[in-house]
Amino acid sequence: MKPETLLAELDDDQRRAVTCAPTATIVHAGAGSGKTRVLTHRIAWRIAQGDVDPSRVLAITFTREAAAEMRRRLRALGVTRHDRPGDVDQPTIGTFHAVALALLRRRASDTSAVVPNIVGNRVTLLNQAVGEDSLGRNAQAVLAEIDWAHARTISPDRYAQEVQRLHRSTTVDPRRVADAYVAYEQLKAKRGLADLDDLIKLATRTLNDRSDFASATRFRFRHLFVDEAQDMNPLQYAFFEALRGDRDDVFIVGDPLQAIYGWNGADPALFRSLPDALNQPTVLALPSNYRCTPEVLEIARHVVASSAAVNDQARELRSRRSSGLPVEFIEVDDDIDEVAVARRVVEQHVRSGIEPSVAVLARTHQLLEPVKSSLTSAGIPVASRRASTMRANAIDEVAECRTRHDLTVWAADVIVESTDEDERIVAEQLQAYLRSSTQGVVDGRSAAAYLRASHSTPERYGVELLTFHAAKGREFSTVVIIGAERGLLPHASATSDAQLSEEARLAYVACTRAADRLVITRARRRNNRVTTLSPYFTDLPPSVRHRSQSLPDAPPAKLPRLSTPADPRVTADKDLKRRLRVVRDVIARANFSLPEAVLSDAEISRIVAEKPSDLEQLSKILGPLTASRLGPAILREMSEPA
């Protein structure tokens, strides 16, 4: 793709980030600002300019889903690619774990060293390590603490001390965790096994200890890109620094306002320290939000206003959408009424006939169970986490694995990283398949065939019920946030200043999942106990519609109409205009552009007046290129009955 074509649909801030000088660059990308769009366009633009060899590009992401999305976008931009980190003729894109493993394999092939086998069943290994003192149901919690310690580069002998120093809340006695941590590490070493985080540690150590290997790696990966850098933990940051060396050709994208994984070992202070570490890099911002209406963005800024570290960035954010519905804050008597409110809002959305999605978000899983029961009893489908699509994508990834070792790594990677239930089910089924297939050739094709044959879960689409953490990276037309109370927001486990700041950012992330309508609820009594209003939702902005009642007034399914009789044709035309604006807004959000740049109000008025019935007629209004691009969506709305 030509360089000028790559820049055609970017706004000024995005274009500045894509075309800036090839020195160390940090981009602060706000929610809904098009960060992945900028990152992939930056790679494609530099390749198109001819100053970058695609095989010298390394892009590191935090999840396999993000890596797959980046590859898809680069392919759409004309940058061909291979799926596996380690291929040498195209950009290498992968997670920290995948990149570390690829480097260790390359080192092993050059020196005849042995790459450790990845632990297949971590719970079993942990229980074997602790012997008779079985951890039982606490095994997963202990493994989570071991992973946190790995991420923070904390050794077993320092674990209990660090837990106390950082005010970390644990469900298992820290001394017991420390003992299990020691036994687990010793058994891994004895059997020549490694966890995924061990791969990063080993790769970092090899880069730091072997100057020849480090030089060869940095020569190969001359252009380094990092996505979601605000989520780096100390282990990953050390790996990044070992890869970078003293080079300046790095492009880092992150959003301090969305740093929400401190509980899992991430340290947002590392992102804030990058300007000093990179020696006065170019620092740019993407403050334009193409997802949320101004009303939604205003309350999102409000919830993080108390956090001084991010307050300046929050003030710079601006919505590029036109004004929309007011945010609703509803206080109800108890948690039973709260469930009723959530169901009412979902019913309103379903009745409206608007295609964009709807979600109910909560700080914890427990709050979502009564909502699920209520929606199900009302005949409203609850999504099974995009079961069919996510499972199919996971099995496709399994099919690409070449060896038993690749399959073992993939399964472990998913179980450690993924928050998607369906992906984790595939990984667990794959582990069972590997345990049962002890003879014969085992590769991705045979494993994928087994997984497809064993699938019996029906497809279910509907309302998404998600925790705040699981909702990150998603967007919905309508969002209901329940549980706006102290003890939930912020969560009772947050006691230190850093933890409280993270809770505020988590509330910000939840708010910015809403594109068009946001409803926030608070129950005065929960589980028969009096609650206190969350400090994030005190002194609400004047634009917020604050109500105190059991159930909200039901807004009409369509736009408000005058109470006097209206000509049916006029009414139908108004409704068609509304539907076309919805289509326009959805397309604009998907492409991070202004709605008016997709389809102007004048063009909508002409479409409604002339009512084209095919692409040829529509092209007379919009031109052939725009008509071919938007025609199917527009004509579908034209054919809908009034």
Side-chain angles (χ1 to χ4, degrees):
M1 189 175 290
K2 295 180 179 180
E4 57 271 20
T5 305
L6 289 167
L7 304 178
E9 296 184 353
L10 303 179
D11 67 27
D12 290 342
D13 295 314
Q14 294 169 341
R15 191 176 296 112
R16 192 175 299 114
V18 168
T19 62
C20 67
T23 58
T25 303
I26 302 171
V27 180
H28 290 232
S33 64
K35 69 173 183 61
T36 306
R37 180 184 181 88
V38 164
L39 191 60
T40 51
H41 276 66
R42 171 69 169 181
I43 294 172
W45 186 80
R46 291 198 61 188
I47 292 172
Q49 287 286 98
D51 69 331
V52 163
D53 180 344
S55 66
R56 307 299 184 189
V57 170
L58 172 60
I60 304 179
T61 68
F62 277 79
T63 65
R64 293 169 305 96
E65 296 89 340
E69 176 64 20
M70 195 178 299
R71 295 187 195 106
R72 284 193 291 269
R73 295 199 188 198
L74 285 173
R75 180 170 53 186
L77 295 175
V79 178
T80 57
R81 89 288 183 269
H82 288 282
D83 283 326
R84 298 180 182 85
D87 290 336
V88 297
D89 57 343
Q90 295 298 333
T92 296
I93 301 168
T95 64
F96 280 89
H97 297 126
V99 172
L101 178 59
L103 292 181
L104 291 173
R105 283 179 172 168
R106 176 171 291 275
R107 177 67 177 167
S109 67
D110 293 341
T111 63
S112 299
V114 177
V115 178
N117 289 320
I118 305 300
V119 177
N121 190 319
R122 303 177 74 216
V123 171
T124 298
L125 186 69
L126 178 61
N127 282 327
Q128 291 173 351
V130 297
E132 295 181 0
D133 184 22
S134 177
L135 296 169
R137 295 181 179 179
N138 289 325
Q140 288 288 4
V142 171
L143 283 173
E145 288 304 298
I146 291 174
D147 289 340
W148 174 79
H150 279 162
R152 305 284 299 196
T153 66
I154 297 170
S155 59
D157 60 302
R158 291 175 45 229
Y159 168 79
Q161 178 184 347
E162 288 297 297
V163 165
Q164 183 178 8
R165 185 180 70 84
L166 296 171
H167 305 284
R168 181 171 176 81
S169 176
T170 63
T171 57
V172 183
D173 187 329
R175 292 170 297 181
R176 193 177 184 195
V177 173
D179 291 341
Y181 187 6
V182 171
Y184 183 69
E185 295 299 305
Q186 289 175 344
L187 186 57
K188 278 195 307 180
K190 181 179 179 180
R191 296 186 180 180
L193 298 174
D195 282 330
L196 291 176
D197 283 342
D198 292 326
L199 300 177
I200 300 178
K201 181 170 65 175
L202 289 170
T204 303
R205 182 187 303 161
T206 304
L207 287 167
N208 289 334
D209 293 347
R210 301 296 305 185
S211 59
D212 56 340
F213 179 61
S215 297
T217 300
R218 293 165 190 158
F219 177 79
R220 180 188 170 199
F221 296 131
R222 301 176 194 174
H223 319 290
L224 185 57
F225 297 79
V226 182
D227 189 18
E228 298 280 14
Q230 80 279 350
D231 291 330
M232 278 195 291
N233 59 46
L235 181 66
Q236 293 162 338
Y237 184 83
F239 183 48
F240 161 73
E241 284 286 80
L243 283 169
R244 182 179 73 87
D246 58 358
R247 294 172 301 155
D248 290 332
D249 196 346
V250 294
F251 190 86
I252 301 169
V253 180
D255 181 9
L257 287 174
Q258 296 190 73
I260 60 172
Y261 292 111
W263 60 274
N264 206 24
D267 185 355
L270 296 173
F271 184 79
R272 295 194 296 270
S273 71
L274 282 172
D276 293 330
L278 296 176
N279 190 24
Q280 297 183 332
T282 300
V283 180
L284 302 172
L286 301 178
S288 295
N289 182 307
Y290 291 95
R291 176 191 302 150
C292 308
T293 62
E295 291 80 3
V296 170
L297 191 58
E298 181 181 26
I299 196 163
R301 286 195 300 259
H302 177 80
V303 300
V304 290
S306 60
S307 179
V310 295
N311 202 17
D312 289 341
Q313 184 195 356
R315 279 195 292 266
E316 295 298 319
L317 296 174
R318 60 180 183 272
S319 171
R320 298 297 295 269
R321 295 186 58 194
S322 54
S323 184
L325 295 169
V327 172
E328 300 167 75
F329 187 88
I330 303 173
E331 293 191 80
V332 296
D333 291 336
D334 56 27
D335 43 347
I336 297 175
D337 281 347
E338 182 179 60
V339 170
V341 167
R343 189 174 81 176
R344 175 70 69 86
V345 174
V346 170
E347 288 174 337
Q348 292 165 0
H349 183 91
V350 172
R351 284 201 308 268
S352 73
I354 299 174
E355 286 188 12
S357 50
V358 56
V360 180
L361 309 183
R363 178 63 178 83
T364 65
H365 284 288
Q366 289 83 351
L367 294 185
L368 295 170
E369 287 303 318
V371 178
K372 181 178 180 179
S373 298
S374 178
L375 293 176
T376 302
S377 65
I380 299 172
V382 174
S384 58
R385 301 294 307 276
R386 300 164 293 162
S388 177
T389 301
M390 297 304 292
R391 180 180 175 85
N393 290 344
I395 294 176
D396 286 344
E397 291 183 14
V398 168
E400 293 173 357
C401 295
R402 300 171 182 173
T403 66
R404 175 187 288 271
H405 183 71
D406 290 343
L407 291 167
T408 303
V409 172
W410 185 91
D413 195 1
V414 170
I415 289 173
V416 169
E417 289 188 349
S418 180
T419 59
D420 187 273
E421 179 182 355
D422 295 288
E423 283 190 324
R424 294 174 66 87
I425 290 173
V426 170
E428 290 167 358
Q429 290 175 339
L430 176 58
Q431 288 183 329
Y433 171 72
L434 293 173
R435 288 194 296 270
S436 64
S437 303
T438 57
Q439 297 180 349
V441 176
V442 176
D443 58 16
R445 294 177 63 185
S446 63
Y450 167 84
L451 292 168
R452 292 187 179 107
S454 64
H455 178 42
S456 60
T457 304
E459 297 181 14
R460 293 205 315 274
Y461 299 93
V463 182
E464 296 268 12
L465 306 180
L466 302 169
T467 64
F468 294 172
H469 285 103
K472 187 175 182 291
R474 305 285 302 280
E475 72 168 73
F476 307 91
S477 178
T478 296
V479 167
V480 183
I481 295 175
I482 62 175
E485 302 134 32
R486 187 182 294 275
L488 293 171
L489 284 174
H491 194 269
S493 62
T495 56
S496 68
D497 290 343
Q499 291 167 339
L500 291 170
S501 293
E502 181 165 313
E503 289 290 310
R505 296 193 296 269
L506 192 56
Y508 164 85
V509 167
C511 291
T512 54
R513 300 312 94 192
D516 305 305
R517 184 184 182 193
L518 176 61
V519 178
I520 303 163
T521 66
R522 174 252 173 142
R524 298 186 189 91
R525 295 182 65 87
R526 186 174 301 279
N527 298 326
N528 294 319
R529 295 181 179 180
V530 176
T531 68
T532 304
L533 176 64
S534 166
Y536 305 144
F537 298 101
T538 59
D539 302 321
L540 293 170
S543 64
V544 175
R545 186 181 179 190
H546 191 170
R547 289 180 289 169
S548 180
Q549 58 188 67
S550 293
L551 292 174
D553 296 332
K558 298 178 180 179
L559 287 181
R561 299 175 180 173
L562 296 175
S563 57
T564 55
D567 186 323
R569 289 174 298 179
V570 174
T571 299
D573 284 352
K574 286 182 178 180
D575 188 56
L576 177 57
K577 280 186 178 181
R578 177 189 67 83
R579 298 202 310 271
L580 291 176
R581 288 192 182 105
V582 169
V583 169
R584 176 182 70 177
D585 289 350
V586 171
I587 294 173
R589 290 202 305 274
N591 291 281
F592 300 98
S593 59
L594 293 173
E596 289 76 12
V598 174
L599 199 64
S600 69
D601 287 337
E603 288 170 330
I604 289 178
S605 296
R606 281 194 62 190
I607 291 170
V608 172
E610 299 181 23
K611 295 183 173 56
S613 59
D614 55 35
L615 286 177
E616 182 178 356
Q617 294 177 13
L618 186 61
S619 65
K620 295 178 181 179
I621 301 173
L622 303 178
L625 291 178
T626 303
S628 64
R629 183 163 52 91
L630 305 180
I634 292 174
L635 293 175
R636 183 169 59 250
E637 295 300 329
M638 300 290 296
S639 64
E640 286 290 322

